[in-house]
Structure formats: C-alpha cells, structure tokens
C-alpha cells in the first residue's frame, strides 16, 4: 500500500465526499475484464485485500484503486496474418489485392484475433485527504493522474481538482536551496539532482550519490543551470526526489514508519488501515510543509 510516487491536487469543499457518498458513486462503475472486441477496460476495485467495496476509509482519508486492462495484440502478428491472407487470395484468384480490400481484411483479422489476445493489467491507487483537502495519487505521470481524476469526475461531477500552483516555482526554489547548500524547514538535501541549462537544447547534468554542496555542483549552478530534480529527506522519515512539476518520485518511507505500521497487528485489515492512517498523515504533513517552503499556494482559499 505504500506509495512509490506522488502527484497531488488541491480539492475544494465540494470535491471532498464522505465515505458513503464516494462508495456509492464508485460502485456504479466496477472493473470488468475486457470482453469480445474491447481493446481495454477500466473500473474501480477494492483498494485493499480485505475491503469489500471500492473505498477504504480511515479518519477522513478515503483510499481508492482504479484498475485498467488492455488487450495485447502486436502489430506484427496482425501483419503476418494479413500477408498470409493476401497471398492466399492472390494465389487462388490470380489477382492483386487492392489497398481498400487490404484495409478491410486487416480490420476483419483484428476482430478475429482480439477475443483471443493476451491482456495486460495495472492498478492506480489514490486517497482523498478530506481534512487537508488533497488528492494524493500514486504516480509520477501526469497523464495517469488525469485519467484517475477523470474517472472521479464521471462518478462525482464536477469534482474540482486542480494542480497546485505555488508562489515560488519549484525549479527556482530547488536552485536556491542548492546554492545555499541547505533546504528549509524539515527538509535536508539528499544526494541526487538534475541540473539543466536554459533553452530546449540546454545541457543536462545528472548527479547521483553526490555531495550536493560540492564545488562542481556549485559551478554548474553559477554557470546558469537550474535544478529540475532534487533529492530530499523530510524529517528523517521520507526520502524522495522533487521535480520541477511539483511531483515526488522515488518515494521511500524509511524504516521507522514501516515499523510503526507493523505494530498495529498481523491481520490484513489492521495492517492496511494502520498503513493508510500513517501514510496519509505523513504525506499530508510533508505536502503541507513543502507547499509552505515554496511560498504557499497562489490564490490560497
């Protein structure tokens, strides 16, 4: 259940449903496997092994999981079947198969193969922090996050959820922190960063397991490069890489947190709820402090 990446969105009061409202809405679109000629299928599944509905709630935090299944039908397979069919017609009827006929044959072959195609599935977890009013999604990919938000909007229209815009741009703040050799508040510099020169063709420098206060890093910054990714540790509890798009990648909940969750009990229900409670509290505090370190939200309500 521990998130590995994080994209977060601001919610307003109208997009903070209670457990019953959200459960009822998501239950109307459960996940069903691909059938027949469907290329893909998407729907809500229980977010934990013991959950008997689409939402797991714990003290104002509502955990959900969106599952997607896609048919896998490589273009090369279709092409091989098409080539064989075209050759068969040309040999049997002693004529060339035209472009339009080939297209029709391709569509027919695709329809014939699709029900027998392999499937590939994945799930995307998220939780609504209804007290702090954040939607936290376990992904560092904007398109995947928008897909989940779109499904929530379909279930609970209009479901306002906005990308947070901070007073200080992340790349500006990260660059300043590197120049100063220290991060603010409960954050401290880790050992990874990405620096980029201005312009589309600007040089990119990636540092890993590097002392970020070293002279070589400082020289790149003084030469005009800006930080686009920066490794940070928050209060010795969570390690992550902050990006210039305000996403948290390579999330690592340190041992102290996982030990705290494991003390809740060995049964799946107790462990899942303890993990959700602890993870949501920690991520909520982290995001609040990060936004504060970036000057707060623009037009904060």
């Amino acid at each position: 259940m521990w998130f590995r990446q994080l994209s977060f969105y601001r919610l307003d009061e109208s997009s903070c449903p209670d457990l019953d409202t959200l459960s009822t809405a998501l239950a109307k679109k459960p996940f069903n496997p691909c059938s027949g000629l469907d290329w893909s299928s998407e729907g809500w599944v229980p977010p934990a092994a013991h959950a008997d509905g689409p939402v797991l709630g714990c003290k104002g935090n509502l955990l959900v999981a969106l599952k997607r299944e896609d048919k896998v039908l490589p273009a090369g397979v279709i092409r091989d079947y098409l080539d064989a069919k075209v050759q068969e017609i040309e040999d049997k009827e002693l004529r060339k198969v035209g472009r339009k006929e080939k297209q029709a044959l391709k569509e027919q072959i695709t329809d014939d193969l699709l029900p027998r195609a392999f499937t590939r599935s994945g799930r995307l977890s998220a939780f609504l922090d209804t007290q702090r009013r954040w939607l936290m999604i376990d992904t560092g990919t904007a398109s995947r996050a928008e897909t989940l938000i779109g499904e929530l909007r379909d279930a609970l229209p209009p479901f306002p959820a906005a990308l947070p815009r901070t007073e200080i741009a992340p790349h500006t703040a990260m660059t300043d922190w590197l120049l100063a050799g220290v991060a603010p508040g409960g954050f401290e510099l880790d050992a990874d960063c990405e620096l980029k020169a201005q312009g589309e063709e600007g040089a990119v420098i990636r540092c890993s397991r590097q002392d970020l206060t070293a002279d070589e890093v400082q020289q790149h910054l003084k030469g005009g490069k800006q930080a686009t990714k920066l490794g940070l540790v928050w209060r010795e509890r969570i390690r992550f890489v902050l990006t210039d798009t305000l996403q948290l990648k390579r999330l690592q909940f340190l041992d102290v947190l996982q030990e705290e969750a494991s003390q809740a009990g060995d049964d799946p229900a107790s462990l899942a709820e303890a993990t959700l409670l602890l993870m949501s509290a920690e991520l909520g505090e982290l995001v609040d402090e990060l936004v504060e370190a970036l000057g707060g939200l623009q037009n904060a309500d």
Side-chain angles (χ1 to χ4, degrees), residues 11-43:
L11 303 175
D12 66 17
E13 292 182 3
S14 66
S15 50
C16 289
D18 58 30
L19 174 60
D20 291 339
T21 299
L22 185 60
S23 297
T24 300
L26 300 192
K28 295 176 181 178
K29 191 182 177 182
F31 171 77
N32 291 303
C34 292
S35 61
L37 300 180
D38 292 335
W39 276 97
S40 64
S41 179
E42 208 163 47

Side-chain angles (χ1 to χ4, degrees), residues 247-296:
Q247 294 171 321
L248 279 58
K249 299 195 174 185
R250 290 162 48 190
L251 270 177
Q252 182 182 356
F253 294 85
L254 302 184
D255 291 343
V256 62
L257 290 179
Q258 301 198 38
E259 289 174 5
E260 286 182 33
S262 66
Q263 293 173 4
D266 295 330
D267 63 288
S270 298
L271 184 57
E273 291 181 9
T275 301
L276 173 59
L277 182 60
L278 187 58
M279 180 177 69
S280 59
E282 297 293 323
L283 287 181
E285 288 185 29
L286 188 160
V287 166
D288 283 350
E289 289 193 24
L290 179 59
V291 168
E292 182 180 354
L294 296 173

Side-chain angles (χ1 to χ4, degrees), residues 209-255:
R209 298 185 294 276
Q210 168 75 47
D211 177 4
L212 299 185
T213 64
D215 289 342
E216 54 263 42
V217 176
Q218 293 294 314
Q219 289 301 317
H220 285 297
L221 295 169
K222 292 173 182 177
K225 292 184 179 68
Q226 294 185 322
T228 52
K229 295 180 182 178
L230 178 61
L232 296 167
V233 178
W234 177 71
R235 299 193 180 279
E236 299 183 351
R237 297 169 75 82
I238 300 177
R239 174 177 284 115
F240 64 96
V241 174
L242 176 64
T243 75
D244 56 354
T245 55
L246 203 54
Q247 294 171 321
L248 279 58
K249 299 195 174 185
R250 290 162 48 190
L251 270 177
Q252 182 182 356
F253 294 85
L254 302 184
D255 291 343

Side-chain angles (χ1 to χ4, degrees), residues 168-189:
I168 305 172
H171 71 269
T172 299
M174 292 188 293
T175 302
D176 289 344
W177 300 344
L178 281 173
L179 283 168
V182 64
F187 299 96
E188 57 185 272
L189 301 178

